[in-house]
Amino acid sequence: MYVALGIALLVIGSILFHLFSPWWMTPIASNWGSIDSALIITLYICAIAFVVLNLFMAWAIWRYRHRPGNVAHYEPENSKLEKRLTLWTGIGIAAMLAPGLIAWHEYVTVPDDAAIVEATGQQWQWAFRYPGPDGVLGAAEVAHISSDNPFGINPRDPYGRDDILIETNELHLPLGRPVKLVLRSKDVLHDFYVPQFRAKMDLVPGIVTYFWMTPTAAGSFDILCAELCGVGHHEMRGTVVVERQQDFDRWLSEQMTFGQMVAEAEARGVQLAAAPGSNGRAAH
């Protein structure tokens, strides 16, 4: 009896917590409302299953509790019930998967007019790279990384000379323009996540990953690493600034290019060398 009452109170408490909880999704600031829709559909399907199954269990415990003279009915199989449960379970799973598959298809289909920005993660900081006037990011490899070439850009690649390098944790994006985020890791598994954008993706050592989004609200938003990446994981934070196109262009024009970095290195007597076997082709 007390167990049934406890289960019923658990269901009621869970519903009330959801209705009155101050913890909910942050206001969206990108085009990915479809991701919110997929999550909400999943939430409500799971909520319905949670409420129905737990209330049924509470009712069954109360209804069929032990009483003197009450004999249990033994029914090892019920094919009709099993078919119904299989049918409704399949419908529920399909209803949860369909919105996510639709959102994923959009997520990996990058618009032709999307700008390109590269985000590089390492323990425990972010760095960013923008293409120059040619609109192409130069080829980059781990083998090229050094203290004088922290982005690992191939010095033989002509497409990399005008690449714009940001070695701080601040990423600037233009408002209302689709952007493809190309993601690389120097060391371990990281994850680029801005809660207001809803979009996120792992940075996997040895391969290049990506996603795209369109910022729809101006302002500053936190960049988080959403993958445990070591003892300093909690400090791997950054800021993305979404601003008007003219403000973005002005800021971008003030940043250092790879060509300027090479010139500074050469002024110090340092010659950046390409790794053996490099072909100098642009990566993107």
Side-chain angles (χ1 to χ4, degrees):
M1 189 71 176
Y2 293 110
V3 174
L5 179 61
I7 294 174
L9 290 176
L10 173 65
V11 172
I12 295 171
S14 298
I15 295 173
L16 292 176
F17 180 81
H18 171 75
L19 294 176
F20 298 104
S21 173
W23 298 289
W24 193 235
M25 293 184 290
T26 58
I28 192 168
S30 79
N31 60 306
W32 289 121
S34 58
I35 292 180
D36 277 4
S37 299
L39 289 173
I40 291 171
I41 290 171
T42 299
L43 173 66
Y44 281 110
I45 290 176
C46 292
I48 291 171
F50 172 80
V51 171
V52 170
L53 291 176
N54 278 279
L55 289 182
F56 170 76
M57 187 163 57
W59 174 81
I61 291 173
W62 175 82
R63 174 67 177 81
Y64 299 104
R65 68 190 184 277
H66 173 71
R67 285 171 292 178
N70 193 29
V71 180
H73 172 66
Y74 177 66
E75 187 177 0
E77 294 184 11
N78 187 326
S79 59
K80 183 181 291 187
L81 177 61
E82 291 174 1
K83 290 177 181 178
R84 289 176 179 175
L85 289 176
T86 301
L87 173 65
W88 287 108
T89 300
I91 291 173
I93 292 174
M96 289 190 293
L97 287 178
L101 292 174
I102 293 171
W104 176 255
H105 174 71
E106 298 173 351
Y107 194 65
V108 296
T109 306
V110 182
D112 294 335
D113 61 341
I116 295 179
V117 180
E118 181 185 82
T120 301
Q122 71 177 84
Q123 296 173 314
W124 290 274
Q125 63 187 26
W126 299 100
F128 306 100
R129 182 164 62 118
Y130 299 79
D134 61 10
V136 179
L137 288 175
E141 300 177 29
V142 174
H144 299 309
I145 294 176
S146 66
S147 58
D148 295 294
N149 186 6
F151 289 82
I153 301 172
N154 188 337
R156 294 179 181 173
D157 184 2
Y159 290 104
R161 288 287 171 158
D162 63 351
D163 285 0
I164 298 166
L165 312 180
I166 310 298
E167 294 189 76
T168 67
N169 285 329
E170 187 170 281
L171 169 67
H172 285 241
L173 295 176
L175 177 65
R177 182 180 180 187
V179 178
K180 177 183 178 182
L181 269 295
V182 178
L183 307 173
R184 297 169 57 224
S185 172
K186 289 184 181 181
D187 39 40
V188 300
L189 194 67
H190 300 286
D191 188 283
F192 185 94
Y193 179 43
V194 178
Q196 290 83 354
F197 292 165
R198 301 299 190 264
K200 64 193 297 285
M201 183 66 71
D202 281 352
L203 287 72
V204 183
I207 66 174
V208 176
T209 56
Y210 72 93
F211 69 86
W212 78 275
M213 45 79 64
T214 301
T216 57
S220 297
F221 309 99
D222 287 335
I223 302 171
L224 310 175
C225 178
E227 195 74 52
L228 183 61
C229 59
V231 295
H233 164 70
H234 63 285
E235 296 180 352
M236 192 168 173
R237 303 173 68 95
T239 303
V240 55
V241 178
V242 179
E243 55 197 351
R244 297 176 303 171
Q245 185 70 51
Q246 54 267 39
D247 296 327
F248 170 76
D249 292 338
R250 182 171 58 252
W251 172 84
L252 198 63
S253 67
E254 298 170 352
Q255 309 308 312
M256 175 179 287
T257 67
F258 179 61
Q260 292 171 325
M261 179 180 288
V262 171
E264 290 186 1
E266 291 175 346
R268 299 193 307 269
V270 177
Q271 186 71 34
L272 298 184
S278 300
N279 54 28
R281 292 180 298 179
H284 311 292

